[in-house]
Amino acid sequence: MRPKSENQNLSTTSSSSISDAPSSTSIDPIFLILRILPFSFLRPPRLRLKIPTFTLPSPMTVYALVLLTYFMVVSGIVYDVIVEPPGIGSTQDRVTGSVRPVVFLPGRVNGQYIIEGLSSGFMFVMGGIGIVLMDLALDRNRAKSVKLSYASAGITSVVIAYMMSMLFIRIKIPAYLR
Amino acid sequence: MVGKVEPVNGSVKSRTNQSTSAAMQAATLKKDMLNNIFSLKSLKLKTKQQELLIRVSILCLVYVLAFMTRLFSVLRYESMIHEFDPYFNYRTTLFLTQKGFYEFWNWFDSESWYPLGRIIGGTLYPGLMVTAAIIYWVLRFLSFSVHIREVCVLTAPFFASNTTLVAYFFGKEIWDSGAGLVAAALIAICPGYISRSVAGSYDNEGVAIFALLLTFYLFVKAVNTGSLTWALGSAFGYFYMVSAWGGYVFIINLIPLYVLVLLITGRYSMRLYVAYNCMYVLGMLLAMQIRFVGFQHVQSGEHMAAMGVFFLMQVFYFLDWVKHLLSDTKLFQAFLRITVTCAVGVGAIAFGVGTASGYISPWTGRFYSLLDPTYAKDHIPIIASVSEHQPTAWSSFMFDFHILLFLFPAGLYFCFKRLSDATIFIVMYGLTSMYFAGVMVRLILVATPAVCLISAIAVSATVKNLTLLVRAKDKAAPSGSGKGSSARGSSKGLVDHSQPFQRNGAIALLLGAFYLLSKYATHCTWVTSEAYSSPSIVLAARGAHGNRIIFDDYREAYFWLRQNTPQDAKVMSWWDYGYQITAMGNRTVIVDNNTWNNTHIATVGRAMSSYEDEAYEIMRSLDVDYVLVVFGGVSGYSSDDINKFLWMVRIGGGVFPVIKEPDYLVNGEYRVDKGAAPKMLNCLMYKLSYYRFGELTTEYGKPPGYDRARGVEIGNKDIKLEYLEEAFTTSNWIVRIYKVKPPNNRW
């Protein structure tokens, strides 16, 4: 911010320039040049402008963004962009000839369809948020009912996320843990 | 010592006293006997000593566990080197122990890349070889006569155990000792790390992850304490990392990024200044001692971030000093703006001049493809063809991390709650490494320590919360062992309402947490046993009755080469097998896994995909005597050369436009049966793989010439070779060796 010194520059005609117009005590050479060259005959309008200040976001805002990025990475978005698999696979039923959807890409560990990636990523994030909710339920002086609901939501999130992830991996890799 | 009860003098006291004193005498007699037997009771440990004992014993158990869980393949097969790259490392270590360090450092190898040779001394990272050689010499000095191969096989598990110790100290630095212990336990069995450090996998990463974590730990310790000793230690840790693995570029970019984030969030301090300056300057000078790295720290674009941040730190220090001298804040603000503008301007101009004049080289393809993952697919087929360089799908993450994927976001939350210099570091390490792990499967290894540490924070904090609830009954005594717990305990309100319900709930949750961790341990052991303990050079399959059948064809072929060909024979094969042929077969190869010369590899690819007469011209020009191909049609092995053939075509076609990929495809589909493209049916690779295969019946009920790996009957069964003759085929037809016939005598 420009240092606010006493305003001695009543002599300059046009420079009721911008709201913070100090001047003769300014040591900025470019400002002095600009004051002479265009702005001795041009009159800039009165505007209410502020130099945008850069404030750091709060940690929890950053954490929310980080969680979003984690969701995208763990869903395999880079795999989706490069290998371009279909959103969901399809197989033809041999008997009836109808086309049935296949959600999980079979046969390989390192391969996926887009939707299966996104749903698994969502499960992981849900598990993480469950643990966070459990901690929120313990660590604050909140109303007891709020704490109870946080705790139960947290516990159910973790349980559901773990069970679904196990189910997904068992569908994808039939020989898992055998 | 239990005090002895003095027997009351019987004559003065009453009868009751006499009887009680007799009873007491009997009791003390019993107690004395017990004390003599269980003399441990006499050393009553104070709580602090008990805690130390528990910690040390846990660390010892974790150390042994980390070593033991990596020994599956040694127990199942034998103590041998796995995969492809470790064979080169083994050969160089053998050379080092036989000829000494100076010969090793100045070694020019004419046995690989046949006409060109390779300057091994200047194109490898010597850290791993020197480490194994030192361990070998120490053991020899202590009169253990071990073979260098055993030392090489067991180097990786040994360093994995050391990594768990470093993880403990790192966790203690970031959070507290409980988190450190959990981190050590998690990283001991995490499959993401085990995959590259199993016994027999004698590769750079086994040692490099230890060096990486050590460098990071020492640097964070230096930033926390501001001590020059720790900064010096981190510089030496960085030197070890540079000597061990090309992934040191990650350190030299993460640490400046971390310093930049600290500067932006207003955490500049003298400690940071001392730590970063010492580490950067010394680390850079030490890194230049490795010939392979050379002057890259001042010349390569990948290292410029560190230099930029170094100068920025000097500007910050200068501004701080001027602020200290000046008492006029307004003047200082003006001075600040001018200086920052000038500094940024000068830096940008210098960078621009350096890049434009070519002094600062741009980012190499390998690292550029990490920032822009689509780059390799379009421009560099060699990088795109390696299976470890594929991007990661969710199931690979799940396989390698299991419940750590849930604990990672929770741990990030705890770190964001308690921000400090150390937690900011681990958050940044975790995020950047997870992004890179998403880009390339191989880099899950680099992310593993960060994920384990952050998950350990989550586990430790959650378990601490729960145990506080369990112990909340006696409010008077928060236990002395919980270091941070007393501070936390005061912030817990409303703990004593509905007490037994909360206590039981907390116990149930604790049991749930232990259940999850035990499932993690089960998963890790299963994954290690099934997926990551295969030597790749020995294949195993289940027979019809469930018994295990071993295919040892690779070693059979290499030893045939070693014993039945002339010493100066040259072998042409696809680059995957180069290291193994040189190490085990002891013969000169044309191309190997180093892949430093794309044109040479493209020449081999062109030879493999041309008709036999054109290929013969190329082979004569390269002085090839034998050709080796890998074929999986009889055994059903799916990683054979016919499945890799399209990469040969793409790489060859990238340099020699006569090779066009559509010539080998039919309607965009790759086939080897009757409907295959004619060029495919007559190219050298097809002929060498399927020679005499048309007469063989491979499966009951299928026609002769049925390829079990592709699942089709081959198209061209009547193959005649004009310029080559078959020299050797292994027992399961996996490796086939052909001799190149010398040109016909004229007249």
Side-chain angles (χ1 to χ4, degrees):
Chain A
M1 282 303 294
R2 266 181 209 291
K4 286 224 176 307
S5 56
E6 312 87 40
N7 214 344
Q8 290 174 332
N9 60 339
L10 297 174
S11 53
T12 58
T13 54
S14 58
S15 69
S16 44
S17 38
I18 315 172
S19 39
D20 46 353
S23 50
S24 55
T25 56
S26 167
I27 60 177
D28 188 347
I30 299 188
F31 173 68
L32 294 174
I33 293 178
L34 277 181
R35 215 175 49 166
I36 301 176
L37 204 49
F39 291 116
S40 53
F41 48 89
L42 285 180
R43 197 176 58 170
R46 287 181 167 263
L47 295 170
R48 289 169 203 244
L49 287 179
K50 242 179 12 167
I51 299 177
T53 49
F54 174 65
T55 54
L56 291 176
S58 82
M60 285 306 143
T61 319
V62 179
Y63 175 65
L65 286 174
V66 158
L67 212 56
L68 190 63
T69 320
Y70 175 71
F71 167 65
M72 289 189 343
V73 167
V74 132
S75 308
I77 201 174
V78 183
Y79 182 91
D80 295 338
V81 166
I82 293 189
V83 176
E84 290 169 16
I88 195 165
S90 59
T91 169
Q92 204 168 26
D93 195 37
R94 246 175 303 177
V95 176
T96 61
S98 61
V99 175
R100 288 191 355 246
V102 169
V103 182
F104 290 95
L105 180 70
R108 307 193 334 240
V109 173
N110 195 34
Q112 65 176 39
Y113 295 125
I114 300 185
I115 290 189
E116 88 177 80
L118 288 173
S119 34
S120 314
F122 175 69
M123 286 303 150
F124 300 145
V125 170
M126 195 165 84
I129 290 186
I131 302 182
V132 169
L133 282 175
M134 280 178 10
D135 178 72
L136 279 178
L138 286 178
D139 250 6
R140 299 288 174 82
N141 290 326
R142 292 170 187 247
K144 188 153 170 289
S145 61
V146 173
K147 279 174 43 169
L148 191 59
S149 52
Y150 273 0
S152 49
I155 296 173
T156 48
S157 294
V158 173
V159 168
I160 290 181
Y162 177 69
M163 282 179 20
M164 294 300 286
S165 302
M166 284 295 112
L167 181 67
F168 286 170
I169 196 89
R170 247 182 262 277
I171 296 179
K172 187 157 175 94
I173 304 174
Y176 182 64
L177 276 186
R178 222 162 288 152
Chain B
M1 271 297 287
V2 176
K4 278 182 73 169
V5 176
E6 290 288 335
V8 180
N9 205 341
S11 54
V12 179
K13 300 295 175 191
S14 65
R15 246 180 308 131
T16 52
N17 265 0
Q18 267 189 349
S19 59
T20 52
S21 70
M24 277 197 288
Q25 242 181 344
T28 52
L29 222 55
K30 265 198 206 151
K31 264 195 203 156
D32 283 352
M33 271 173 32
L34 278 175
N35 276 346
N36 287 334
I37 299 174
F38 302 103
S39 59
L40 209 59
K41 220 173 181 186
S42 58
L43 355 134
K44 194 156 178 62
L45 294 174
K46 294 189 286 249
T47 315
K48 272 223 172 346
Q49 289 172 325
Q50 278 178 347
E51 193 222 352
L52 183 66
L53 180 67
I54 293 179
R55 264 194 289 149
V56 168
S57 55
I58 289 181
L59 278 179
C60 287
L61 285 176
V62 164
Y63 193 92
V64 172
L65 175 68
F67 193 85
M68 274 181 3
T69 188
R70 288 161 165 83
L71 293 180
F72 273 101
S73 72
V74 173
L75 295 172
R76 274 185 198 153
Y77 305 100
E78 55 169 324
S79 150
M80 68 177 142
I81 313 266
H82 298 183
E83 302 264 333
F84 302 111
D85 281 359
Y87 274 100
F88 171 71
N89 297 332
Y90 173 61
R91 183 169 155 247
T92 48
T93 315
L94 200 58
F95 189 88
L96 171 60
T97 52
Q98 284 167 350
K99 303 270 184 14
F101 187 70
Y102 284 105
E103 285 298 312
F104 169 75
W105 202 232
N106 296 313
W107 187 16
F108 178 81
D109 179 32
S110 41
E111 276 200 8
S112 51
W113 297 87
Y114 168 57
L116 310 169
R118 178 183 171 184
I119 311 171
I120 291 198
T123 58
L124 60 51
Y125 288 103
L128 175 69
M129 297 85 183
V130 171
T131 310
I134 289 180
I135 297 177
Y136 171 74
W137 284 324
V138 163
L139 286 175
R140 282 256 154 172
F141 177 72
L142 298 172
S143 329
F144 290 107
S145 57
V146 293
H147 191 273
I148 182 70
R149 193 190 62 233
E150 322 298 344
V151 174
C152 290
V153 163
L154 293 177
T155 297
F158 173 59
F159 273 89
S161 301
N162 296 343
T163 307
T164 62
L165 289 183
V166 178
Y168 163 70
F169 287 111
F170 203 177
K172 201 161 103 146
E173 190 66 30
I174 296 177
W175 200 255
D176 63 13
S177 64
L181 287 174
V182 178
L186 289 178
I187 209 175
I189 51 176
C190 188
Y193 186 23
I194 289 189
S195 63
R196 305 289 300 197
S197 70
V198 83
S201 171
Y202 180 56
D203 209 352
N204 299 62
E205 288 98 346
V207 172
I209 294 298
F210 169 73
L212 181 94
L213 209 55
L214 187 69
T215 310
F216 283 151
Y217 163 62
L218 292 172
F219 184 70
V220 169
K221 189 97 184 172
V223 170
N224 272 345
T225 58
S227 137
L228 206 56
T229 321
W230 291 109
L232 192 69
S234 79
F236 277 99
Y238 178 63
F239 170 58
Y240 188 37
M241 178 71 188
V242 170
S243 73
W245 194 34
Y248 74 89
V249 175
F250 180 63
I251 298 189
I252 202 64
N253 280 310
L254 179 63
I255 288 190
L257 193 64
Y258 165 63
V259 171
L260 198 62
V261 166
L262 282 188
L263 293 178
I264 290 178
T265 54
R267 286 173 186 266
Y268 169 76
S269 61
M270 200 57 191
R271 299 173 280 123
L272 180 65
Y273 181 76
V274 167
Y276 182 66
N277 280 346
C278 177
M279 191 247 178
Y280 178 64
V281 172
L282 276 178
M284 183 169 70
L285 287 175
L286 286 171
M288 293 191 195
Q289 308 309 309
I290 309 289
R291 281 167 64 194
F292 196 23
V293 173
F295 289 115
Q296 276 184 14
H297 276 72
V298 290
Q299 280 183 345
S300 156
E302 296 140 10
H303 303 78
M304 286 299 115
M307 188 180 287
V309 171
F310 176 67
F311 286 121
L312 191 66
M313 286 284 275
Q314 311 311 316
V315 169
F316 260 78
Y317 182 76
F318 177 61
L319 287 173
D320 217 27
W321 177 63
V322 168
K323 187 173 188 176
H324 174 70
L325 288 182
L326 278 183
S327 44
D328 186 358
T329 47
K330 290 174 277 194
L331 208 56
F332 174 68
Q333 294 289 345
F335 177 70
L336 171 74
R337 292 168 66 231
I338 294 179
T339 313
V340 169
T341 318
C342 282
V344 170
V346 165
I349 291 176
F351 184 67
V353 165
T355 314
S357 70
Y359 184 74
I360 299 180
S361 56
W363 282 58
T364 57
R366 269 176 69 199
F367 295 114
Y368 186 69
S369 65
L370 287 179
L371 295 181
D372 175 14
T374 56
Y375 179 74
K377 189 167 79 153
D378 300 330
H379 296 106
I380 319 178
I382 280 198
I383 295 183
S385 73
V386 182
S387 70
E388 317 174 294
H389 290 181
Q390 305 308 312
T392 322
W394 74 272
S395 40
S396 295
F397 276 122
M398 185 70 182
F399 224 55
D400 282 343
F401 287 136
H402 202 244
I403 59 167
L404 300 187
L405 286 174
F406 301 133
L407 297 171
F408 183 72
L412 285 179
Y413 164 76
F414 285 111
C415 286
F416 272 99
K417 249 174 66 164
R418 197 212 280 188
L419 275 183
S420 69
D421 289 351
T423 52
I424 291 185
F425 177 79
I426 197 67
V427 164
M428 291 196 57
Y429 176 25
L431 292 176
T432 49
S433 59
M434 274 303 268
Y435 167 69
F436 290 129
V439 172
M440 213 187 255
V441 179
R442 182 181 184 187
L443 294 180
I444 286 187
L445 171 74
V446 176
T448 302
V451 170
C452 286
L453 279 165
I454 295 183
S455 310
I457 292 178
V459 169
S460 174
T462 307
V463 167
K464 199 163 267 190
N465 285 345
L466 290 174
T467 48
L468 270 174
L469 273 188
V470 170
R471 304 172 90 127
K473 197 162 159 198
D474 37 5
K475 291 189 285 275
S479 68
S481 64
K483 290 189 188 141
S485 62
S486 45
R488 282 275 184 110
S490 55
S491 67
K492 298 218 192 320
L494 306 172
V495 150
D496 41 341
H497 288 227
S498 67
Q499 197 134 308
F501 172 68
Q502 266 198 340
R503 193 151 173 267
N504 290 339
I507 292 181
L509 286 179
L510 265 182
L511 287 177
F514 293 147
Y515 169 75
L516 278 184
L517 288 172
S518 69
K519 293 301 278 181
Y520 170 70
T522 315
H523 167 91
C524 293
T525 316
W526 180 84
V527 166
T528 309
S529 159
E530 291 299 312
Y532 289 142
S533 295
S534 93
S536 295
I537 193 169
V538 169
L539 310 165
R542 296 224 174 271
H545 305 285
N547 55 330
R548 193 185 281 263
I549 306 182
I550 306 266
F551 297 95
D552 208 358
D553 286 46
Y554 280 102
R555 294 197 292 173
E556 189 186 337
Y558 299 140
F559 275 99
W560 183 90
L561 265 185
R562 193 188 190 109
Q563 287 161 353
N564 293 293
T565 57
Q567 277 288 99
D568 59 352
K570 328 267 186 294
V571 180
M572 181 173 93
S573 70
W574 191 234
W575 58 262
D576 282 353
Y577 317 108
Y579 280 156
Q580 286 179 342
I581 295 176
T582 324
M584 274 191 278
N586 204 21
R587 293 288 174 266
T588 311
V589 290
I590 306 291
V591 289
D592 68 15
N593 304 57
N594 192 27
T595 66
W596 65 272
N597 191 331
N598 194 32
T599 311
H600 217 51
I601 296 181
T603 313
V604 171
R606 180 184 174 189
M608 294 292 193
S609 32
S610 315
Y611 294 123
E612 196 185 344
D613 35 10
E614 298 162 1
Y616 184 65
E617 294 294 320
I618 301 176
M619 289 193 286
R620 290 295 305 155
S621 75
L622 288 172
D623 283 349
V624 174
D625 296 312
Y626 289 89
V627 181
L628 186 146
V629 295
V630 170
F631 171 59
V634 175
S635 50
Y637 179 52
S638 58
S639 305
D640 62 351
D641 280 355
I642 291 283
N643 277 345
K644 292 182 196 167
F645 181 60
L646 277 183
W647 286 109
M648 300 186 199
V649 170
R650 281 179 198 134
I651 295 175
V655 178
F656 301 104
V658 289
I659 310 284
K660 297 187 248 312
E661 191 180 341
D663 287 346
Y664 300 87
L665 304 172
V666 172
N667 291 337
E669 207 186 316
Y670 178 58
R671 299 166 67 169
V672 295
D673 54 0
K674 275 212 168 5
K679 183 127 197 213
M680 179 71 205
L681 290 176
N682 288 304
C683 68
L684 185 70
M685 176 53 72
Y686 188 92
K687 283 186 166 180
L688 293 183
S689 294
Y690 292 120
Y691 182 66
R692 284 193 310 114
F693 183 64
E695 308 145 15
L696 192 68
T697 309
T698 50
E699 220 173 281
Y700 180 68
K702 295 280 197 305
Y706 180 76
D707 184 343
R708 291 179 70 196
R710 259 68 51 187
V712 295
E713 185 186 346
I714 63 171
N716 184 3
K717 292 190 194 175
D718 185 25
I719 297 177
K720 292 197 185 358
L721 289 173
E722 193 186 331
Y723 296 101
L724 295 117
E725 59 184 3
E726 185 178 4
F728 182 67
T729 299
T730 57
S731 45
N732 294 300
W733 285 56
I734 291 188
V735 183
R736 311 191 68 181
I737 303 181
Y738 293 84
K739 184 170 159 53
V740 177
K741 289 197 234 180
N744 287 328
N745 278 332
R746 274 175 280 188
W747 313 102

